[in-house]
Amino acid sequence: MNFEQTLQILPQQLVFGFALGSVYGLIALGYTMVYGILFMINFAHGEVFMIGAYLGWGVLTWLLSLKLSFLHPIWVLPLLLGIAMLGSAFVGVTLEFLAYRPLYKRGASRLAPLISAIGASIFLQNAVMLTQGARMKVYSSRLLFPPSWRIQVGGVNISAIVIVITLVSLGIMMGLYYLVHRTTLGRAMRAVAEDREMASSMGIPINRIISLTFLIGSALGGAAGVLIGIYYTQIDFFMGYSAGLKAFTAAVLGGIGNIQGAMIGGLTLGIIESLGVTFLNPAYRDVVTFVVLILTLIFKPTGLLGETLAEWKKI
C-alpha cells in the first residue's frame, strides 16, 4: 500500500479506532474503579469481560434457535447487554467476596490480592473452557445488523455496528460519570477511595461500597464483552487475557484510579492501535499496545490525568 492509499483509508481507521477505543474505555473503567478503592489491580477483570461475552452469545444463540421473525437490535441488544451485565456483576461480586475480601480484612500485603487475582483469572478461563469447549463461538451479528445498514459521512463508510457500539459505550461511560460525581453513592465511593478509615468513621459502609464498586465495574466489563463479540463476531475463552491487558494499558495511559482518565486512555489507545495497523502489519497490533504501555511507564507513569500517589498508596 503506497502513501496516497494510506492517507485515503486514514479517516476510516480513525472511526474504527474511536469505536474500539470506547470499548477499551469500558473495560478500563473496571480496572480503575477497583484500583481507586482498594489500590489493587484486578487481573481477573479480563475474564469477567469474557464471561459477559459468552453470556451475550448464549442468549443470542438461544433467540436464533427459536426462529423468531421479529428479531431486531432495538430489543435484542438491550436484552444481551442486560443479561451479560447482570451475570458479570454477579461474578465480580462473588470474586470480591471469596477471593479478595478475606485477604484485605486480614490486613494482607498488596501482593496477596494480586496473586489471588491471577489465580482467579486462570480458574475462570479454565472453567469456561471446560464447560463451553475450546473452540471459538460465533456471534451472528449479521442477522441483527445487516451489512447494508451503513452510512457515508465525508467519504467514510460507517456501519450500523460501529455506530451502535460507539453510542452504547459512550452512553454507559457518561452514566457512570454522572453516578460517581452527582449521586450519594458516588460521593461515598469517592470518600472510600480518598480515606477508608475516615469514611468508615462518617458511617459509610465500607464493605458494601467495595462490593458495589466490583458490581458496577464488572457490569461494565460484561457490556464490553457483548459489544466486542458483536464487533469481531468471534469469541473464545482466552479473549479476556488480550483485551484485559489492553484495557489495563488504557487505564495506565489515562492515569489508573482516575475515571475520566480511563475513558480518555481507552479512546486514545484505540485510535493509536488503529493508526498503528494502518502503517504497520496488522500482526503487530498487540505490539503497538505494549509499546504504548512501556512508553507511558517510562515517560509519564502517572498517566495523562493521574496524580502522584502518596507513599502509602503505592504498590
Side-chain angles (χ1 to χ4, degrees):
M1 185 183 299
N2 58 40
F3 185 70
E4 187 176 340
Q5 289 173 321
T6 302
L7 288 181
Q8 286 178 349
I9 67 169
L10 206 53
Q12 188 80 56
Q13 291 297 96
L14 284 173
V15 172
F16 289 152
F18 191 84
L20 194 57
S22 63
V23 180
Y24 286 162
L26 270 188
I27 312 172
L29 283 169
Y31 282 103
T32 213
M33 288 177 71
V34 170
Y35 185 84
I37 295 286
L38 292 177
F39 302 105
M40 66 160 279
I41 297 169
N42 180 18
F43 281 115
H45 186 62
E47 276 55 54
V48 175
F49 151 82
M50 175 267 292
I51 288 172
Y54 268 82
L55 288 171
W57 166 80
V59 175
L60 181 58
T61 304
W62 174 69
L63 288 175
L64 292 174
S65 71
L66 297 178
K67 302 186 184 306
L68 301 174
S69 59
F70 49 90
L71 283 178
H72 194 282
I74 202 164
W75 68 270
V76 173
L77 185 60
L79 181 64
L80 301 185
L81 289 171
I83 291 178
M85 292 174 79
L86 283 174
S88 298
F90 174 76
V91 173
V93 171
T94 304
L95 270 182
E96 186 272 331
F97 185 75
L98 295 179
Y100 307 140
R101 184 178 298 189
L103 297 174
Y104 60 73
K105 283 186 78 173
R106 283 186 293 181
S109 68
R110 300 275 171 79
L111 186 60
L114 285 179
I115 296 172
S116 184
I118 293 171
S121 168
I122 296 171
F123 171 79
L124 291 175
Q125 267 186 28
N126 284 275
V128 172
M129 182 187 70
L130 291 173
T131 56
Q132 300 299 317
R135 301 184 68 175
M136 285 190 171
K137 308 297 182 188
V138 177
Y139 260 79
S140 302
S141 307
R142 295 168 65 90
L143 299 177
L144 280 182
F145 299 94
S148 59
W149 289 9
R150 54 184 63 243
I151 59 173
Q152 289 274 347
V153 179
V156 178
N157 197 340
I158 308 175
S159 68
I161 289 181
V162 169
I163 296 171
V164 168
I165 286 175
T166 306
L167 292 179
V168 170
S169 300
L170 293 180
I172 292 175
M173 285 194 279
M174 292 303 105
L176 178 69
Y177 183 85
Y178 179 84
L179 174 75
V180 171
H181 290 88
R182 295 285 186 272
T183 66
T184 304
L185 173 61
R187 283 191 285 274
M189 291 169 68
R190 284 186 285 139
V192 173
E194 189 64 30
D195 190 328
R196 206 181 305 172
E197 292 183 2
M198 183 63 74
S200 178
S201 68
M202 297 293 290
I204 296 175
I206 304 298
N207 288 336
R208 191 181 303 170
I209 294 299
I210 292 173
S211 294
L212 285 171
T213 302
F214 271 86
L215 184 147
I216 295 169
S218 301
L220 297 182
V226 171
L227 296 176
I228 283 289
I230 289 174
Y231 184 74
Y232 284 120
T233 71
Q234 288 184 332
I235 62 172
D236 61 61
F237 70 95
F238 202 62
M239 64 185 287
Y241 176 77
S242 173
L245 283 178
K246 290 182 180 181
F248 174 67
T249 302
V252 172
L253 176 62
I256 193 161
N258 187 304
I259 287 180
Q260 297 97 312
M263 299 175 187
I264 294 172
L267 293 172
T268 306
L269 181 66
I271 291 172
I272 291 174
E273 185 179 293
S274 190
L275 292 179
V277 299
T278 304
F279 296 101
L280 302 172
N281 188 319
Y284 294 114
R285 177 185 295 271
D286 291 344
V287 175
V288 173
T289 301
F290 295 119
V291 168
V292 170
L293 176 60
I294 292 168
L295 292 177
T296 304
L297 292 174
I298 292 175
F299 295 106
K300 194 166 177 53
T302 58
L304 298 174
L305 300 182
E307 301 173 356
T308 302
L309 295 177
E311 286 298 324
W312 69 273
K313 289 183 178 180
K314 293 180 180 177
I315 292 176

